[in-house]
Amino acid sequence: MSRYNWNCLVHQLYRPVDCAGLAFNRIILGILLLIDIVNERGLSRADILWIDETNKFQCHFPLFQWLQRFEHTESMYAVYLIMVIGVKKTNLDWLNGYSMVSLSTHWIWSFAIDYLHIPNHWIDYFVIHVGGFVFDSSVGFMFLFSATRPIGFLLAIAFNLINSQMFQIGMFPFVMIMVMPIFLSPNWPRKVVNRIHNSGLLKSFQNWKMLNQLKLNNDELLLNKSKKYRKQISKMDGLEANSKLKWNQHLTIIIIMIYIALQMVLPFAYPFLKGYNTWTNGLYGYSWDMMIHNWNHVHTRVTVRFSPIDGNGSIETYYINPDEWTVTGRWSHHADMVVQFAHCVEQRLRSKLMRDNLTMEMYFDVWTSLNGRFAQRMYDPTTNILNVKWTPFTKLEWILPILHQSEEWRSRLEYLNLQLENHIIQSNGRQMLNDSYMIYITDFPGLSLNNYIDETLFQDQRSPILFLLDGFVHITFSNGSEFLLKSSPNFNHHSISLPIGQLSTVTTIGRTPSYYSIWYPKKSPMVNRRTMSIMLYQMTSIGKKQNE
């Protein structure tokens, strides 16, 4: 009974072992992280990233809102220096092959495609998705057993080296490779040194004597012939050891167990932490969702309105460019970060414009595609985010749900693309497909999408074409003309050209969502995904002003 109590556990975790393996890992990790904080974490440009005047108006997204950045660059240098994934891959988008698309086009798969003649879609599905699921689900167990550990090591090395080429994730793959020896016996470096010594390979080196001095007699360690070691073992097996435990040893084990429990619980705590759930569940960075979700951001419009506190006077409306306020777009698909961004911009705008005597409202219209679905709104564009009450445990009602009918369309996009391309070829000629671009959109009943076709980007080109796939829409142009489109089996009956140089407004009417695509005849470096797909107003940090 006494061998299976709390004290026995503490003694077992404090059991002395050879520190050679741990020393190796700490040395290698220290070297890799020194490289990482310079190249990947911004230490080499800390004086630029954290200069007060340059970045005073930048917004940041800490897990806890009360955390604020240091006010001086020197402080940030100090911060830099201190500095069950397989389960998550049961996500249906991953298992169905929608999370990581077109990875087979990377050069690393060229040999398999060109010489082994493996189809691209086989690599995307069977190698990336199915293989990734099997690898993440099994490699941890392979590491635990000596019989399967060599296979697990080979697979893990190959997996991380491939990741280092396909993704820009810095030192992460190499850190993962270098921590693998932690699954070996603690004295594995000494075994390696002994084996090299016995092979006689280093006898010609002058420093062999020094290396020989570092050699440990593994036989003595393994057979427990050390008197000191034997004495410690006997104490742990006897009752006398129970009285020798210190309070800080108990506390250390408790803290370690709490930390492990948090790592296991947080990824699955989303039923309770509802304030962090958007289209995906859980806290960003704490959910083990690496590579599970493929976000394709299309457009973000942030509308700011100032109105007199007493209600008398005109309302001033501004459209701000969110890129002027933060260096990352990740915040747009996490509702808790949207709230942080809104209050950050409010604070900085009031400081910059001196508008403390006015009531401010802020509305977000964020368009995103998740894992190959149609692009759609994430948040209710009529909700004033500055007035919402956010807590970690309350569901956010202003998040719009994923329109699941787009998943049905997603499964037949390849066939749909062929249909649309054939229609374009018949109407405009095959040459119009060169450098063209197609975007798929779905919207909710009663909401409108504004799409401005900039004439400077489409000079001497055919007009973009809107194809209605399902639903009922009302289209108006800035010249006053109006059209009603209703879906039908024939594309000729529900397609319309969008005139260049005009603002078109597509309003979904009826009781069901609309599904449509917009084909753009030109794709150039000047015309990227954001400017071409939904070009609303091109603004700077404080945009076009309107009086209402």
Side-chain angles (χ1 to χ4, degrees), residues 245-258:
L245 288 172
K246 300 179 180 179
W247 68 269
N248 60 327
Q249 292 177 314
H250 291 281
L251 179 61
T252 300
I253 301 304
I254 291 173
I255 293 175
I256 292 175
M257 295 182 70
I258 292 175

Side-chain angles (χ1 to χ4, degrees), residues 60-62 275-276 284-285 330-343 364 379 390:
H60 304 278
F61 307 94
Y276 293 101
Y284 171 76
R330 184 183 297 118
W331 63 271
S332 63
H333 49 261
H334 294 281
D336 57 305
M337 296 186 186
V338 170
V339 175
Q340 286 182 299
F341 181 85
H343 289 284
F364 288 79
Y379 313 111
W390 183 90

